[in-house]
C-alpha cells in the first residue's frame, strides 16, 4: 500500500492503494494538515462524502462519517462480554474513536497508551469526540510504546483493547506473539483482550499467524468481522481472546444506548465466519 | 454515480464514483471491450487485482476475483431455504454468475431472462463460468424485459431471483411495487423471491421503499447483508420475501459444496441487521 496525492483543479485527490492496481480515492475540499511526526506521516483532509479523514502513512485510519463501524466493533464485543469491566487499557487509538466507545461504560479507569503524541494533538483539534474524551476524569493518557508500557507496568486490567495500525511501522510489535504473552499477564481473572486484526482479504497471512499463537496462549480465541466502508475490502477483522470468557455465550453486561452499528444480534453474527476464512484459519 | 476513464502511461484507469467525492479506482492492464449496446454502456477490463471486471454504465457489476460474495449471497439463502427448488427463474444476471450458483442444485429448470443480449454474448466470451452454464441442459435463456416476461408468462416457479442493476436505466421497473405483485402470482406454494437491494449506506431510500411494499405484499419480508468488496461501501443488501418460508427457521435443503462465502452460520448471521438499518427499516 502506498499513498499518492495529486491536485486537480481546486480539489486535492487522496488515494489509498489497496492492491498495486486498485484502491480508494477521495477528493478533498480542504487539506487540513500534512506533517511528519517522529513516527509517521499524518494527513487530515475534509471531504463532502466522509467528513474529516485521518491518514497515517497514507492509509485511512478513521473518518467522521464511518468511524462508528470500526470503533463500535473494536470495543463493544469485548466490553459487553465482560460482566463488570472496571479497568480498561487501550493501546493505540490516538484518534480517540475507540476511547469514546469505551467511555460509554461505567468503568473506573480507561488508560490509553499511544506512541505518537502528535496524533493525539491533531485529532483533538480536528475530531470532535477526542477532546470530550480527554476531559473525562476516568481517562489516563500515557505517551509511550504500548509494548514497553506493558513490560514495565504492574497494573492489571479487565479488558485490553489493541487499536493498532497495520503490522508495518510503529505498530509492528503489537502484532507479535511476545506482546500477547505479556498482555495475558496483565489480565485480571476473567479478562479479555480484543483488537483489530486486519483485512480478511488482504492480510490473511497475518490472521493465520495470529490464529496459531492465540490458540497456544489463550483458552478461547476467536476472530470476528464487521464492515468498515473506507478500509480496504470494506470488511475488517478483529480478534477476541480470553482464558475464561467465551463471547458466543452471549452478553454479560448491558449494551450502551446510542450505538449505530453494534447490537445483540450483530454480536452473535459477527463471529460467524465465511467459508473461505474458516478454511484458512482451520 | 458516473464514470471517468483516463489513461496514465500504459494503464487505463477506471473509476467508479460512490459519492460525488469518493470512490474506487482500478488500473487496467488491458481494456478488453468498450461498446454501447441497445440498453447500456458495456466495459470489460483486465486487472491484476480483481481479474476481469464488467462495468455497466460505468458501475462495477462483477469481477472474477470477488464475484462469489455477491452471487453466493444472492442465490443460496433462498435456494437453501426451499425444501425442493425445481423451477427457478432468474431475472437479469446476464453475466452468468448467479446462474452458475443456481446450477449447483439438482433442479429441473433454470430460466434466465436478460434484457440485453450483448451482455450475455460478451460475458460468455470473457467470463469463464457463463459458457459452461449456457451449455447446461436445464438452462433456458430468454432475451426479454423481465417485467414484460412475467406479465406475459403463465409459468410458476419455486424460487425467483432478481439480479438487477441499480434502479436507474433498464432495471428501474424491477424495483417497483407492481413488479413484485406480478412476481407473487408466479410463485408456486412455498415459493420465494430474493434479489439484490442496493447499498445499505447509499441506497437507503430505496430499501425503505421496498421494505414498505414488501410488508404489504408478502407474509415474510426480510433484508440481509453480505460483503462485496468492489461494490460501493463494501457491503450489499439483499431481500428475501415469501408467503410461507421464514428464512430464520433454518435451511430446508443441503448447502452445495465448493462455496467460498456462504455457509450455515453465515445464513443466520446475514439476517442480523445493524442498529442504524433496523431503525431505518422499522
Amino acid at each position: 500500500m502506498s499513498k499518492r496525492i495529486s491536485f486537480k483543479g481546486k480539489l486535492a485527490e487522496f488515494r489509498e492503494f489497496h492492491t498495486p492496481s486498485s484502491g480508494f480515492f477521495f477528493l478533498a475540499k480542504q487539506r487540513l494538515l500534512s506533517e511528519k511526526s517522529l513516527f509517521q506521516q499524518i494527513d487530515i483532509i475534509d471531504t463532502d462524502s466522509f467528513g474529516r479523514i485521518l491518514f497515517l502513512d497514507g492509509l485511512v485510519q478513521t473518518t467522521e462519517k464511518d468511524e462508528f463501524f470500526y470503533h463500535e466493533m473494536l470495543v463493544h464485543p469485548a466490553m459487553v462480554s465482560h460482566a463488570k469491566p472496571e479497568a480498561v487499557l487501550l493501546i493505540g487509538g490516538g484518534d480517540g474513536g475507540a476511547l469514546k466507545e469505551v467511555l460509554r461504560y461505567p468503568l473506573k479507569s480507561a488508560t490509553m497508551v499511544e506512541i505518537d503524541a502528535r496524533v493525539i494533538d491533531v485529532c483533538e483539534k480536528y475530531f470532535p469526540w477526542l477532546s470530550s474524551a480527554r476531559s473525562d476524569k476516568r481517562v489516563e493518557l500515557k505517551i509511550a510504546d504500548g509494548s514497553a508500557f506493558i513490560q514495565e507496568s504492574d497494573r492489571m486490567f479487565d479488558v485490553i483493547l489493541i487499536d493498532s495500525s497495520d503490522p508495518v511501522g510503529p505498530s509492528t510489535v503489537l502484532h507479535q506473539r511476545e506482546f500477547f504473552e505479556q498482555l495475558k499477564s496483565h489480565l485480571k481473572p476473567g479478562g479479555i483482550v480484543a483488537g483489530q486484526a486486519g483485512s480478511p482479504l488482504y492480510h490473511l497471512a497475518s490472521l493465520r499467524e495470529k490464529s496459531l499463537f492465540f490458540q497456544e496462549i489463550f483458552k478461547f480465541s476467536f476472530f470476528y468481522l464487521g464492515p468498515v466502508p473506507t478500509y480496504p475490502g470494506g470488511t475488517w477483522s478483529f480478534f477476541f481472546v480470553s482464558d475464561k470468557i467465551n463471547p458466543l455465550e452471549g452478553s454479560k453486561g448491558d449494551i450502551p444506548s446510542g450505538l449505530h452499528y453494534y447490537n445483540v444480534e450483530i454480536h452473535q453474527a459477527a463471529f460467524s465466519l465465511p467459508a473461505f476464512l474458516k478454511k484458512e484459519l482451520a
Side-chain angles (χ1 to χ4, degrees), chain A:
Chain A
M1 302 192 200
S2 65
K3 182 183 59 169
R4 209 163 73 182
I5 304 171
S6 62
F7 289 84
K8 294 188 176 178
K10 287 177 186 167
L11 292 177
E13 180 181 325
F14 272 65
R15 292 178 171 219
E16 179 177 338
F17 279 78
H18 300 163
T19 74
S21 62
S22 64
F24 241 75
F25 66 87
F26 301 92
L27 304 180
K29 58 182 182 181
Q30 205 180 345
R31 194 172 179 176
L32 298 170
L33 180 111
S34 180
E35 67 166 65
K36 204 163 169 48
S37 75
L38 285 173
F39 298 96
Q40 52 208 336
Q41 173 67 31
I42 307 174
D43 292 282
I44 299 176
I45 63 174
D46 195 13
T47 66
D48 284 325
S49 41
F50 289 95
R52 292 175 175 183
I53 305 179
L54 168 70
F55 296 81
L56 295 181
D57 283 341
L59 307 180
V60 173
Q61 301 296 308
T62 199
T63 85
E64 276 187 284
K65 189 166 172 188
D66 81 341
E67 61 81 26
F68 68 88
F69 287 101
Y70 174 80
H71 292 128
E72 290 187 10
M73 288 307 279
L74 178 72
V75 169
H76 299 301
M79 293 295 285
V80 166
S81 295
H82 194 288
K84 200 177 180 190
E86 293 187 332
V88 174
L89 172 64
L90 175 60
I91 292 182
D95 61 63
L99 186 61
K100 156 179 69 69
E101 297 302 321
V102 165
L103 293 173
R104 294 183 188 270
Y105 295 83
L107 32 90
K108 288 186 178 165
S109 70
T111 306
M112 182 160 107
V113 180
E114 164 64 48
I115 198 169
D116 193 340
R118 276 305 284 165
V119 170
I120 292 177
D121 288 344
V122 302
C123 288
E124 190 166 11
K125 182 170 176 189
Y126 291 112
F127 293 93
W129 54 75
L130 183 54
S131 49
S132 61
R134 279 192 76 172
S135 65
D136 190 303
K137 285 178 179 162
R138 297 169 294 170
V139 172
E140 181 188 13
L141 181 61
K142 305 250 182 205
I143 302 303
D145 173 278
S147 174
F149 171 84
I150 208 77
Q151 280 181 58
E152 291 155 18
S153 172
D154 55 6
R155 292 175 58 186
M156 305 289 281
F157 300 93
D158 297 306
V159 174
I160 301 178
L161 300 166
I162 313 298
D163 186 10
S164 61
S165 44
D166 293 339
V168 287
S171 279
T172 306
V173 67
L174 305 183
H175 295 267
Q176 293 169 350
R177 181 191 177 115
E178 293 67 29
F179 176 62
F180 287 94
E181 288 172 335
Q182 287 159 359
L183 289 180
K184 176 170 165 152
S185 68
H186 290 265
L187 282 181
K188 291 186 189 183
I192 299 164
V193 185
Q196 74 95 359
S199 158
L201 291 180
Y202 297 125
H203 308 139
L204 257 180
S206 165
L207 265 83
R208 271 195 300 262
E209 192 190 344
K210 280 200 182 71
S211 176
L212 289 174
F213 66 65
F214 283 163
Q215 290 174 47
E216 289 173 15
I217 304 174
F218 296 96
K219 183 176 172 198
F220 295 107
S221 142
F222 292 90
F223 289 93
Y224 61 95
L225 302 178
V228 184
T230 52
Y231 280 11
T235 295
W236 214 245
S237 75
F238 304 86
F239 62 84
F240 180 115
V241 293
S242 175
D243 273 337
K244 192 165 173 199
I245 306 293
N246 179 346
L248 301 181
E249 286 174 1
S251 59
K252 305 287 190 299
D254 291 338
I255 296 178
S257 63
L259 303 190
H260 299 296
Y261 180 73
Y262 179 84
N263 59 32
V264 64
E265 298 95 331
I266 289 290
H267 180 98
Q268 291 293 327
F271 287 90
S272 302
L273 300 185
F276 77 89
L277 201 52
K278 287 180 78 167
K279 197 174 161 187
E280 289 286 348
L281 299 178

